């Protein structure tokens, strides 16, 4: 029997010829019952070559899309489940293609696209192919609105995207998704977000390229952890110095180990954060001060400064003769009222300087 197959009876006959336990006779209950039985038996064709499987599946999808929306949902969920679980993850690229055909064949605002998208993410995560799935946060936000997702589904979706991005080493994108997830909790359900908040903090502390954490403190689920060790640790990374971390570690070594955090990496990050704080406060820092505050030897200062500059968090030069570091710029670890005031003062001063320049130019050239 040639492909493509255009109706339910052709699909039934094809699957039966492949060895499926299915009748060739159409169901008396109508197309949606036919499709329920066809989807149930569709495993047999997943052994064939890619083009043939895709053709059969596209025939099933074409018939699915003819159905009224309320009859589609369960059938699409069943089909997605088959494609996600197929043979312990064999042939992921084919399954992604099939799910993709289904996803883009549906009306953009169809709520059941949520199920297909979640299935796509699950399959992509098993084969490091998340780059081929749209995970841009603006797009995901639009879908959450278009599909009119309830809170639980919204959280499930964001969590899936987050986990997939983490697995594929896209830590920056993953962090944005997690902040979106935590930001979507309210006062009423923030207590349910403990696991997410905990995970978010640990991932951020662990990530070698994340140095600013104060935005996490403002999230309701993180605030809910106040008084717990994890919150104390985060607070140290937000604004405290290396000595505070060392003291915390001495009292809570087992806790740090249980989080899967590496003490030496924590020390390295806290040294940089402490240096960033010093560089905001002082434009010149002696080697002696650095050795004391950062708990390093004299011969380690130069290598430390080079590594610090490489992060682009601090810009400075080493003055070997004077045994000091001269700072040109440092990123603020926290951005609160004091930093806004400094920014306002700088802009006001800049505005004043521009006004002076304009007056001088007008004096020099009366026609200006």
């Amino acid at each position: 029997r040639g492909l493509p197959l255009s109706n339910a009876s052709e699909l039934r006959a094809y699957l039966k010829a492949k060895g499926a336990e299915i009748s060739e006779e159409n169901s008396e209950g109508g197309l949606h019952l036919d499709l329920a039985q066809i989807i149930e038996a569709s495993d047999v064709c997943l052994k064939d070559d890619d083009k043939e499987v895709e053709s059969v599946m596209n025939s099933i999808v074409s018939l699915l899309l003819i159905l009224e929306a309320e009859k589609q949902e369960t059938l699409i969920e069943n089909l997605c489940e088959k494609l996600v679980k197929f043979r312990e993850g064999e042939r992921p690229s084919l399954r992604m293609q099939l799910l993709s055909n289904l996803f883009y064949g549906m009306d953009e605002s169809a709520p059941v696209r949520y199920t297909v998208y979640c299935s796509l993410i699950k399959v992509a995560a098993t084969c490091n192919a998340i780059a081929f799935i749209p995970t841009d946060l603006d797009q995901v936000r639009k879908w959450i609105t278009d599909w009119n997702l309830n809170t639980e589904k919204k959280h499930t979706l964001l969590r899936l995207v987050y986990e997939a991005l983490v697995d594929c080493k896209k830590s920056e994108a993953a962090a944005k998704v997690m902040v979106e997830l935590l930001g979507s909790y309210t006062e009423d359900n923030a207590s349910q977000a403990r696991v997410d908040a905990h995970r978010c903090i640990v991932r951020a502390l662990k990530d070698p390229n994340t140095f600013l954490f104060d935005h996490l403190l403002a999230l309701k689920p993180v605030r809910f952890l106040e008084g717990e060790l994890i919150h104390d640790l985060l607070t140290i990374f937000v604004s405290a110095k290396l000595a505070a971390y060392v003291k915390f570690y001495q009292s809570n070594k087992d806790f740090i180990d249980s989080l899967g955090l590496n003490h030496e990496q924590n020390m390295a990050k806290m040294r940089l954060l402490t240096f960033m704080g010093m560089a905001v406060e002082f434009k010149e820092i002696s080697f002696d001060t650095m050795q004391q505050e950062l708990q390093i030897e004299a011969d380690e200062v130069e290598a430390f400064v080079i590594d610090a500059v490489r992060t682009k968090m601090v810009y400075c030069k080493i003055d070997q003769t004077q045994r000091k570091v001269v700072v040109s710029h440092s990123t603020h670890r926290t951005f609160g009222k004091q930093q806004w005031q400094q920014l306002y003062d700088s802009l006001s001063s800049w505005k004043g300087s521009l006004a002076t320049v304009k007056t001088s130019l007008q004096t020099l050239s009366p026609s200006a």
Side-chain angles (χ1 to χ4, degrees):
R1 183 175 293 271
L3 298 167
L5 306 163
S6 58
N7 59 42
S9 52
E10 286 184 1
L11 277 165
R12 282 175 171 280
Y14 174 83
L15 293 170
K16 189 169 177 65
K18 288 280 175 189
E21 290 184 21
I22 190 170
S23 158
E24 285 194 46
E25 303 300 317
N26 279 354
S27 161
E28 290 176 11
L31 180 59
H32 76 282
L33 284 179
D34 279 328
L35 281 169
Q37 292 167 1
I38 287 166
I39 288 167
E40 185 54 41
S42 64
D43 297 49
V44 291
C45 77
L46 289 171
K47 303 186 193 83
D48 295 334
D49 71 77
D50 288 12
K51 280 206 163 24
E52 193 162 326
V53 179
E54 197 171 341
S55 185
V56 174
M57 284 296 176
N58 286 348
S59 300
I60 294 174
V61 168
S62 301
L63 294 174
L64 265 175
L65 298 178
I66 297 169
L67 291 174
E68 308 89 277
E70 64 273 12
K71 288 181 178 171
Q72 280 181 7
E73 195 162 339
T74 308
L75 295 174
I76 287 173
E77 284 170 2
N78 292 348
L79 181 60
C80 286
E81 193 178 350
K82 277 210 181 297
L83 291 172
V84 169
K85 292 182 175 174
F86 175 65
R87 289 204 183 178
E88 302 301 315
E90 280 180 33
R91 302 175 81 179
S93 57
L94 170 66
R95 291 180 296 130
M96 274 180 66
Q97 184 60 56
L98 299 175
L99 286 164
S100 199
N101 293 350
L102 176 57
F103 185 73
Y104 290 107
M106 299 168 77
D107 183 66
E108 279 199 15
S109 59
V112 75
R113 281 184 102 204
Y114 158 79
T115 304
V116 187
Y117 181 70
C118 288
S119 303
L120 260 173
I121 294 278
K122 286 174 189 170
V123 176
T126 64
C127 59
N128 206 12
I130 202 73
F132 302 106
I133 310 290
T135 52
D136 175 69
L137 198 48
D138 288 335
Q139 177 63 75
V140 171
R141 279 192 198 112
K142 184 178 182 306
W143 282 334
I144 285 169
T145 308
D146 288 350
W147 303 337
N148 199 17
L149 298 184
N150 63 25
T151 304
E152 190 184 344
K153 283 186 172 179
K154 180 180 177 178
H155 290 168
T156 301
L157 180 89
L158 289 170
R159 212 172 280 123
L160 262 179
V161 173
Y162 169 75
E163 291 293 354
L165 289 169
V166 166
D167 289 344
C168 298
K169 309 279 186 288
K170 295 181 180 290
S171 57
E172 198 175 327
K176 285 179 183 168
V177 173
M178 180 50 90
V179 169
E180 179 81 7
L181 170 59
L182 293 180
S184 69
Y185 283 94
T186 62
E187 295 287 356
D188 300 330
N189 59 17
S191 60
Q192 298 162 18
R194 290 177 60 84
V195 175
D196 288 326
H198 207 280
R199 189 184 295 162
C200 175
I201 293 168
V202 173
R203 291 259 197 238
L205 297 182
K206 202 181 272 191
D207 181 37
N209 302 312
T210 300
F211 305 105
L212 303 176
F213 307 94
D214 69 326
H215 62 291
L216 297 179
L217 284 178
L219 296 166
K220 289 187 186 78
V222 173
R223 289 213 303 266
F224 215 85
L225 298 172
E226 275 180 36
E228 296 187 25
L229 284 175
I230 188 74
H231 194 278
D232 295 345
L233 181 63
L234 174 62
T235 308
I236 288 170
F237 275 81
V238 168
S239 56
K241 290 185 175 181
L242 178 66
Y245 169 73
V246 171
K247 188 178 177 189
F248 180 91
Y249 179 72
Q250 285 164 352
S251 307
N252 302 287
K253 183 182 181 303
D254 290 347
F255 175 69
I256 295 283
D257 294 343
S258 75
L259 297 176
L261 292 171
N262 179 298
H263 174 57
E264 287 310 316
Q265 286 173 358
N266 290 348
M267 288 288 287
K269 190 177 276 197
M270 277 306 303
R271 281 193 181 100
L272 173 69
L273 294 171
T274 304
F275 181 54
M276 281 164 60
M278 292 159 68
V280 164
E281 213 172 331
F282 309 106
K283 291 303 155 202
E284 295 186 354
I285 307 165
S286 72
F287 283 12
D288 290 343
T289 305
M290 288 186 66
Q291 284 172 242
Q292 192 179 339
E293 292 286 342
L294 307 180
Q295 300 182 16
I296 54 178
E297 301 299 324
D299 60 0
E300 295 174 315
V301 171
E302 193 169 337
F304 171 80
V305 171
I306 290 167
D307 286 342
V309 169
R310 208 172 273 145
T311 65
K312 297 185 167 61
M313 290 285 135
V314 185
Y315 292 89
C316 58
K317 291 196 302 251
I318 296 171
D319 183 338
Q320 283 288 10
T321 51
Q322 303 273 331
R323 295 190 79 253
K324 67 182 179 184
V325 173
V326 181
V327 179
S328 51
H329 171 75
S330 179
T331 305
H332 285 271
R333 290 172 68 186
T334 57
F335 210 89
K337 198 171 177 183
Q338 185 186 350
Q339 284 72 40
W340 282 115
Q341 187 61 49
Q342 284 174 355
L343 181 62
Y344 175 77
D345 293 345
S346 299
L347 289 172
S348 300
S349 158
W350 187 54
K351 191 177 171 186
S353 302
L354 284 176
T356 309
V357 171
K358 188 179 175 189
T359 307
S360 303
L361 286 171
Q362 284 171 337
T363 309
L364 290 169
S365 172
S367 60

